[in-house]
Amino acid sequence: MKRYQGMVFSQAKKAFLTDEEAEDFTQEVFIQTYESLSKFRGESQFSTWLFQIARFRLTKVFKKKKLPIVDWQEDISFVADKTGSTVVEILDKEETSHNLRSLISKLPKSYQMPILLHYFENKPLKEIALDLNIKLNTIKSHISRGKDLLRKWWSHEIEG
């Protein structure tokens, strides 16, 4: 829970008006995740599976309240131009989300992990460097190179 709490909470803060609502939502996600652990097949990374649980739970909450769905993919703003809005139609973004996850999974692991930790788990660069036992400047370089590759691949996705 400690490892992924920041990722879920930071996304929940974008979706809910108050920190209390975001905290409650985060707690509910982890309860549901715990109750569903027997269903985790290991076909994806645990963080991906947890992220999907959170996203589906958020969609359910917003549909029940008849609110517009929040786009959890705002963290991809470094790849594509964004309007700055965090509220979007889920169907319009589903393909974009899938394509980006696919592209990130194709990155070399040395680029992939720092990008995931920094942009999706909101870890500071210094902490990532310590966690991965890599120099800070190397982490910065890996993130920069990874983002460059994603931009390049993304432009081919859009053009192609």
Side-chain angles (χ1 to χ4, degrees), residues 9-150:
F9 181 70
S10 68
Q11 297 301 319
K13 280 179 69 170
K14 294 176 184 179
F16 295 98
L17 297 175
T18 66
D19 282 354
E20 291 78 24
E21 287 177 306
E23 288 170 1
D24 289 345
F25 176 80
T26 301
Q27 185 176 25
E28 291 169 11
V29 167
F30 280 100
I31 290 170
Q32 183 176 353
T33 301
Y34 178 77
E35 291 172 348
S36 302
L37 272 175
S38 63
K39 297 176 185 174
F40 179 61
R41 298 184 304 245
E43 294 172 357
S44 64
Q45 291 184 1
F46 182 80
S47 59
T48 303
W49 183 68
L50 172 65
F51 192 76
Q52 289 299 322
I53 289 173
R55 202 173 114 246
F56 289 131
R57 183 148 186 86
L58 183 72
T59 301
K60 186 176 179 179
V61 167
F62 275 55
K63 281 183 179 178
K64 186 176 181 180
K65 292 182 178 183
K66 297 183 180 182
L67 296 170
I69 306 299
V70 171
D71 179 15
W72 280 50
Q73 297 305 316
E74 278 301 307
D75 286 326
I76 68 170
S77 60
F78 61 85
V79 176
D81 292 331
K82 294 287 181 183
T83 62
S85 173
T86 59
V87 180
V88 296
E89 299 271 345
I90 192 73
L91 295 176
D92 291 341
K93 298 299 178 185
E94 193 66 33
E95 186 176 353
T96 300
S97 171
H98 174 74
N99 289 344
L100 181 66
R101 283 193 306 267
S102 175
L103 292 177
I104 289 173
S105 72
K106 293 176 184 175
L107 283 172
K109 294 291 181 201
S110 60
Y111 299 167
Q112 187 181 98
M113 283 307 296
I115 284 176
L116 289 172
L117 291 171
H118 186 62
Y119 288 103
F120 292 91
E121 295 188 26
N122 294 320
K123 286 195 174 189
L125 295 176
K126 287 182 182 179
E127 187 177 331
I128 295 169
L130 287 172
D131 288 351
L132 299 178
N133 197 24
I134 299 173
K135 292 180 182 180
L136 179 61
N137 285 339
T138 303
I139 291 295
K140 290 177 181 177
S141 175
H142 286 183
I143 288 175
S144 177
R145 290 176 185 161
K147 286 173 22 179
D148 288 345
L149 274 174
L150 287 171

